[in-house]
Amino acid sequence: MVNFSLEGKVALVTGASYGIGFAIASGFAEAGAKIVFNDIKQELVDKGLAAYKEAGIEARGFVCDVTDEAQVNAMVAQIEKEIGTIDILVNNAGIIKRIPMIEMKAEEFRQVIDVDLNAPFIVSKAVIPGMIKKGKGKIINICSMMSELGRETVSAYAAAKGGLKMLTRNIASEYGEYNIQCNGIGPGYIATPQTAPLRERQPDGSRHPFDSFIVAKTPAARWGTTADLVGPAIFLASEASDFVNGHVLYVDGGILAYIGKQPK
């Protein structure tokens, strides 16, 4: 029998007060995991705790800047002491700045790299020793289609996610012998509150141009939902994926497989 259960596992999902991280953590809880999450501000942690409580999920929240190695080490040590060794890490926290490359300041580029690439390195580095000691562990990096594709205004994000794809492969290469699996999930275009303005109907009732563009580029002919990411995340967090390592699972409705429709 394939084991998708996460019963008794401790799962740390970074930046999981809302959105994709919240959906994945909620799915993990349903599969039996104990949920721990962080966010950068107390108000976001409080918002997350209220959302988990409303969903009937017991979760622990920590204020922690995942780009700060000392803060991360302190949080991981506290989790290990009070809750247990982290069995599952999801590096979900991320930012995007949509700025044309020649208008982007180097400091803005560095900030995206810091949150989207350096932070997964810092948090992974903090949890791997506990996983080695335990003899198993799962790390899931939230990559992106932008680790495979380029697009206007997202040079820093695409560079960071491309780097995260290679960090995923390298963690798998370096720590696979300790029964640690590191894989990525590459979401397609997901319907979240942040993307809602791009899906609003126009005054004449027509689709937003970007909405039309995405639906036309997606064989599934729709935006993804956060629920679409839960099954793949549970698979990669469970014993069902014990021989899957260094892989990025793109949950994109088929966009990366599709060249697009011929113009009429």
Side-chain angles (χ1 to χ4, degrees):
M1 178 72 178
V2 176
N3 189 5
F4 291 98
S5 170
L6 304 181
E7 201 60 50
K9 305 283 187 190
V10 176
L12 168 61
V13 186
T14 66
S17 298
Y18 58 90
I20 288 172
F22 178 82
I24 288 173
S26 299
F28 284 176
E30 215 174 302
K34 296 175 190 167
I35 303 305
V36 184
F37 73 98
N38 82 292
D39 222 312
I40 198 163
K41 292 178 187 164
Q42 186 67 55
E43 64 199 71
L44 290 170
V45 171
D46 291 343
K47 181 183 167 185
L49 288 169
Y52 286 110
K53 191 176 179 183
E54 196 182 326
I57 295 166
E58 206 176 301
R60 286 284 303 274
F62 292 84
V63 178
C64 178
D65 176 352
V66 285
T67 68
D68 183 317
E69 192 166 14
Q71 284 188 39
V72 168
N73 289 341
M75 176 181 71
V76 169
Q78 192 178 346
I79 293 166
E80 288 181 345
K81 185 182 172 188
E82 296 176 7
I83 303 159
T85 303
I86 294 162
D87 299 288
I88 303 157
L89 166 65
V90 181
N91 284 308
N92 165 74
I95 59 169
I96 188 167
K97 289 181 183 288
R98 294 181 177 90
I99 305 169
M101 185 174 155
I102 60 170
E103 292 169 25
M104 187 175 226
K105 297 186 181 82
E107 136 195 15
E108 291 170 320
F109 188 92
R110 284 192 197 102
Q111 190 190 358
V112 176
I113 299 292
D114 208 20
V115 177
D116 294 0
L117 179 56
N118 290 342
F121 162 76
I122 290 167
V123 186
S124 298
K125 182 174 169 241
V127 305
I128 286 170
M131 291 177 171
I132 289 173
K133 204 171 168 187
K134 198 166 187 177
K136 58 183 172 181
K138 303 280 185 176
I139 298 172
I140 301 169
N141 293 322
I142 303 300
C143 298
S144 165
M145 292 187 305
M146 296 300 121
S147 61
E148 294 288 338
L149 299 170
R151 198 170 158 264
E152 305 80 6
T153 77
V154 295
S155 58
Y157 185 78
K161 293 300 187 179
L164 186 57
K165 175 180 72 177
M166 292 312 299
L167 179 64
T168 300
R169 290 177 179 173
N170 207 80
I171 292 171
S173 304
E174 205 163 342
Y175 298 103
E177 67 180 291
Y178 299 101
N179 193 27
I180 294 170
Q181 291 83 47
C182 181
N183 294 291
I185 290 177
Y189 284 90
I190 305 296
T192 63
Q194 290 93 321
T195 59
L198 300 172
R199 289 175 283 109
E200 278 177 2
R201 289 280 170 178
Q202 302 300 283
D204 64 0
S206 65
R207 285 180 182 269
H208 187 290
F210 192 79
D211 185 16
S212 299
F213 165 68
I214 291 306
V215 171
K217 284 291 292 177
T218 308
R222 66 172 177 88
W223 287 65
T225 66
T226 54
D228 288 320
L229 300 169
V230 173
I234 289 172
F235 165 66
L236 292 177
S238 72
E239 289 175 10
S241 62
D242 277 358
F243 205 57
V244 178
N245 215 355
H247 175 75
V248 179
L249 175 52
Y250 292 99
V251 186
D252 65 355
I255 290 181
L256 284 172
Y258 187 44
I259 198 169
K261 286 178 182 163
Q262 183 179 325
K264 289 176 183 175

